[in-house]
Amino acid sequence: MGVHTLNVERWDTCEFSFTAAESYANPFRDVSLTATLIHALTGTSLSVDGFYDGGSTWRLRLMPDQVGAWQVRTHSADPGLDGHEIEYECVPPQKPYLHGPLRVRGYHFVHADGRPRYLLSTRLSCHLEPPEVWQAAIETLAAHHINRVLFIMGGVHGTVAELYGPNLDFWRYNVEKFQAIDRFIDALRQADILAAPYFYYFNDRQQRAMTVDQDRAYLRYGMARFGGYANVL
């Protein structure tokens, strides 16, 4: 496979897409995509999950946290997903919202760059709608210094089942719903607002039927999608 090179700002989100060579009865279970990331200067090695994003497309979503050269190599049983090599240079952040993930220092929250974060939070339920529905709301929140949004990933009471496959198939996910959540989280990120997605909503009892393995697969899929966004709590 060819080597792709580019520059990425520290704590920014970068994404790579790949096309599977084979088709699968259930692409969420029948094949996987992982990648090894190596920081050239320190030798730091990380293993991350990719995710299925519909059709024949898999994606790898990353957030470099150390300046310098990084090398990425993909691994998969599918020949179209395996063996891709990517090199990128992580450069100092320039965008005003790039402060890195949130950490705890004493009794306070601080970002990776040392910037303090005093949380002013609200909750929204419009994240599954098109951007024209929620963009003005995000701008209003930012203008009034609301800097964290909590939301139930499945929407509102009675709609959680729509995150999954037909007939509440917990081994499949509704890619369109997850893509909508991606867009919402990224828009919050660019407005310097933290995103706090609730993976579970038990009041309607639908997710209570998940097995332990289904729980783990769901969390792993969600974090493969959202882990590359520095604003996700």
Side-chain angles (χ1 to χ4, degrees):
M1 300 290 182
V3 176
H4 307 280
T5 61
L6 72 160
N7 286 345
V8 182
E9 292 178 43
R10 189 181 189 187
W11 302 309
D12 206 355
T13 301
C14 61
E15 182 175 297
F16 307 98
S17 61
F18 310 97
T19 301
E22 309 292 340
S23 59
Y24 302 93
N26 184 352
F28 297 102
R29 296 193 71 190
D30 297 345
V31 69
S32 64
L33 169 66
T34 63
T36 302
L37 286 61
I38 298 176
H39 186 243
L41 180 62
T42 64
T44 299
S45 180
L46 304 172
S47 180
V48 300
D49 290 330
F51 59 91
Y52 174 63
D53 204 33
S56 297
T57 301
W58 269 255
R59 300 190 191 278
L60 190 63
R61 189 171 287 154
L62 309 175
M63 180 200 65
D65 64 349
Q66 295 186 65
V67 172
W70 285 86
Q71 299 158 350
V72 182
R73 183 177 177 87
T74 65
H75 312 284
S76 178
D78 185 287
L81 306 176
D82 185 58
H84 293 274
E85 295 182 355
I86 303 164
E87 295 179 358
Y88 64 83
E89 186 76 17
C90 178
V91 299
Q94 300 297 318
K95 300 182 181 73
Y97 52 83
L98 295 179
H99 305 291
L102 206 62
R103 300 172 177 173
V104 174
R105 185 172 64 197
Y107 295 103
H108 300 285
F109 293 111
V110 295
H111 286 275
D113 68 351
R115 180 185 185 227
R117 171 77 67 158
Y118 303 101
L119 296 179
L120 294 174
S121 305
T122 191
R123 186 165 146 182
L124 295 179
S125 58
C126 56
H127 54 284
L128 297 176
E129 301 298 327
E132 55 266 25
V133 173
W134 43 252
Q135 188 60 54
I138 290 177
E139 293 169 3
T140 299
L141 295 179
H144 290 82
H145 309 292
I146 305 299
N147 58 19
R148 181 175 65 163
V149 170
L150 303 95
F151 61 95
I152 298 169
M153 281 172 48
V156 297
H157 185 86
T159 66
V160 173
E162 297 174 13
L163 280 179
Y164 301 98
N167 302 313
L168 207 57
D169 182 352
F170 291 123
W171 288 116
R172 299 174 186 269
Y173 311 108
N174 185 328
V175 169
E176 289 79 12
K177 297 293 185 185
F178 276 89
Q179 289 170 342
I181 297 171
D182 291 343
R183 288 190 291 271
F184 184 71
I185 289 174
D186 196 41
L188 291 173
R189 183 181 73 96
Q190 294 183 49
D192 200 15
I193 297 174
L194 299 173
Y198 293 1
F199 275 70
Y200 294 94
Y201 176 77
F202 289 131
N203 290 4
D204 61 10
R205 299 186 176 275
Q206 292 171 329
Q207 289 173 307
R208 292 179 186 270
M210 298 174 74
T211 67
V212 171
D213 286 342
Q214 289 168 337
D215 272 321
R216 289 172 176 162
Y218 169 57
L219 292 171
R220 190 165 185 169
Y221 181 76
M223 289 314 301
R225 297 192 74 106
F226 308 148
Y229 296 126
N231 65 323
V232 170
L233 292 177

